[in-house]
Amino acid sequence: FVMMTAWFGGQVYEVRPPNQTTLQSTFEKLQEWASGHMPEDNEAIPAGTTGYSTNDGELGAPLSRNTEPVFAALTSLRTYWRGESIAYYDGRRWIRGGEEFTPLNLSSLPQIPATVTTTNGGRTLQQRIQFASPSSGGIPVFNAGTITDVETVQLSNGSQLGYVLANKDRDTFRLPDSAGSTRITEYIVDSILPESNPVLLRGLGDADPQEIKNKYLQLPDLLPERVKALAEKLTASSGNRYDSATAIRDYLQTGYSYTLDTMVPPAGADFVDHFLFETKQGYCVHFATAMTVLLRSTGIPARYVQGYGPGTQQEEAMPAKYLVTQGDAHAWVEVYFAGAGWVPFDPTPGPALAAGFPAPARPAAGGRTLFSAADCRGAASRRRLALAAQSGSAAGRASRQQLEP
């Protein structure tokens, strides 16, 4: 990794000091804080608004819709905008593990992360993201799958940033926080698209690497047994991992309702258990968390992902241009397939953006989406959804926004 600080036009982009906090210490601090500060009455927890969030707070607060523009994207394929995945679920929240990000010189790219297996021949896609308001950084590099290259990062003073931040495996990238008045206006990113062939996925085995199992099979010690029993029931007749994933996805899409009018579960209740057996309604955070936990309960590695839906295509724009707002914020699931890597699924009910899953990639002008999934928008339709070929923060401002379904 190249350690550097890049100067441009008299402005400097600073990297946050490495975060040495461990997953366990983070959890213990949260527990200690919660014991003395969290209200006993759920009604005391105020509602949030839809939008991308880096908040590790309790899940389930009611939301109102925010349609503030985040970015415009030029892309030849309509895709979801993947921000980040989170591995650790404590029964009430998803907790980031204090993963360290270090500077990576753009000149050291392109690269294919060691964690990526390209059974689809390494199909790649280039996309250009233009922020609605120049970003102060500190946010993911939103993209269509797994990043192989960040070609340019344009700054508001006309210069370019020479680096981004990358995690240890170089499969997650972030834009660094800015200092001074210079902001990030746009970037160009290349991504490998996930495998999308159900025939191939059904034929893969389950010989998962130990590091994948250690991280992505984690469950709370006090997860109610009825959650595990439901997972076993839903997958009992499945002969392979792909069919198990689709069985759980379809069950959630057809058996539960979408709403932003929700509540944080009562003290002591598990978020997934409360959703599955008590309220039976929620938004994308509920559906994606439930699917992840149900999959893990059957021994299938899965992770919670958040980002944005495809956005709205702008009329007559060439190349195709999509406007993404905070109302497009979304959460979904990635399932690990040995030999193919991480494959996205979307369990949230809503109008299908494309029929079936997975679907071959097609030009955006044809009206096809890479994911056959709903963008968490609370539509009543329960047509079959799922991400078919893969997966932006409002320009990096810290806010109390909650991720919308």
Side-chain angles (χ1 to χ4, degrees):
F1 287 24
V2 178
M3 299 297 293
M4 62 178 292
T5 302
W7 286 84
F8 294 104
Q11 301 292 340
V12 63
Y13 271 71
E14 298 176 346
V15 180
R16 290 175 176 171
N19 187 347
Q20 302 298 330
T21 304
T22 66
L23 189 62
Q24 185 62 32
S25 64
T26 299
F27 182 39
E28 290 172 352
K29 289 178 181 178
L30 279 168
Q31 285 183 313
E32 180 181 356
W33 178 88
S35 64
H37 293 81
M38 290 301 292
E40 293 296 327
D41 185 354
N42 286 323
E43 293 183 359
I45 300 176
T49 59
T50 61
Y52 192 89
S53 174
T54 57
N55 178 15
D56 287 344
E58 291 198 306
L59 305 173
L63 303 179
S64 60
R65 186 167 301 282
N66 177 6
T67 59
E68 177 187 8
V70 181
F71 59 82
L74 282 70
T75 174
S76 61
L77 290 172
R78 188 179 185 185
T79 71
Y80 274 29
W81 300 99
R82 188 187 190 281
E84 62 184 329
S85 63
I86 310 176
Y88 191 87
Y89 171 70
D90 76 346
R92 305 280 295 184
R93 57 180 70 79
W94 286 102
I95 300 178
R96 292 165 176 78
E99 187 172 32
E100 181 179 347
F101 284 73
T102 56
L104 177 65
N105 194 328
L106 297 188
S107 64
S108 66
L109 299 171
Q111 53 95 44
I112 298 178
T115 55
V116 172
T117 303
T118 56
T119 56
N120 63 356
R123 184 175 56 177
T124 61
L125 176 66
Q126 183 175 100
Q127 298 169 308
R128 181 179 181 182
I129 286 76
Q130 301 170 323
F131 289 108
S133 298
S135 172
S136 59
I139 59 175
V141 176
F142 295 98
N143 69 98
T146 300
I147 294 174
T148 60
D149 197 3
V150 180
E151 297 201 5
T152 62
V153 180
Q154 194 70 36
L155 303 179
S156 58
N157 63 4
S159 61
Q160 294 184 359
L161 184 63
Y163 73 102
V164 291
L165 303 180
N167 66 347
K168 178 176 63 71
D169 294 327
R170 293 196 185 185
D171 59 6
T172 301
F173 294 75
R174 298 184 69 84
L175 297 173
D177 292 313
S178 63
S181 60
T182 301
R183 296 290 184 266
I184 299 169
T185 58
E186 65 176 71
Y187 62 85
I188 296 175
V189 61
D190 297 346
S191 308
I192 293 178
L193 303 180
E195 179 55 63
S196 59
N197 184 341
V199 175
L200 185 151
L201 293 172
R202 284 191 174 99
L204 296 175
D206 56 3
D208 304 313
Q210 190 61 47
E211 60 268 25
I212 293 291
K213 293 191 288 187
N214 290 345
K215 188 172 184 179
Y216 297 108
L217 290 178
Q218 176 272 329
L219 290 169
D221 291 338
L222 299 180
L223 182 70
E225 286 300 322
R226 62 180 179 176
V227 174
K228 300 176 183 178
L230 175 61
E232 294 294 341
K233 177 181 177 181
L234 293 176
T235 60
S237 62
S238 299
N240 56 76
R241 181 164 296 184
Y242 178 83
D243 287 344
S244 293
T246 56
I248 292 173
R249 179 203 63 197
D250 294 350
Y251 173 79
L252 294 172
Q253 286 179 2
T254 59
Y256 296 80
S257 302
Y258 180 96
T259 182
L260 297 180
D261 185 13
T262 57
M263 61 177 287
V264 173
D270 180 272
F271 175 76
V272 168
D273 181 82
H274 190 250
F275 165 64
L276 289 174
F277 300 104
E278 304 298 333
T279 65
K280 300 185 179 181
Q281 61 179 6
Y283 44 85
C284 66
V285 171
H286 297 74
F287 288 90
T289 301
M291 182 171 178
T292 303
V293 169
L294 288 168
L295 285 164
R296 290 181 178 186
S297 296
T298 66
I300 297 176
R303 61 190 184 186
Y304 175 88
V305 180
Q306 60 183 32
Y308 289 94
T312 303
Q313 185 171 0
Q314 304 302 288
E315 296 296 332
E316 300 180 359
M318 292 299 293
K321 187 174 186 178
Y322 293 85
L323 176 63
V324 177
T325 75
Q326 291 292 14
D328 295 308
H330 194 42
W332 58 96
V333 180
E334 288 176 345
V335 180
Y336 187 79
F337 288 81
W342 294 99
V343 176
F345 292 79
D346 190 341
T348 303
L353 298 175
F357 169 83
R362 296 187 181 182
R368 188 87 174 195
T369 182
L370 275 180
F371 291 84
S372 71
D375 59 12
C376 253
R377 291 200 180 183
S381 170
R382 295 187 179 281
R383 294 181 57 193
R384 198 165 181 263
L385 317 169
L387 299 164
Q390 113 322 306
S391 15
S393 147
R397 287 191 303 275
S399 73
R400 198 187 173 293
Q401 291 175 328
Q402 302 289 327
L403 183 68
E404 175 196 354

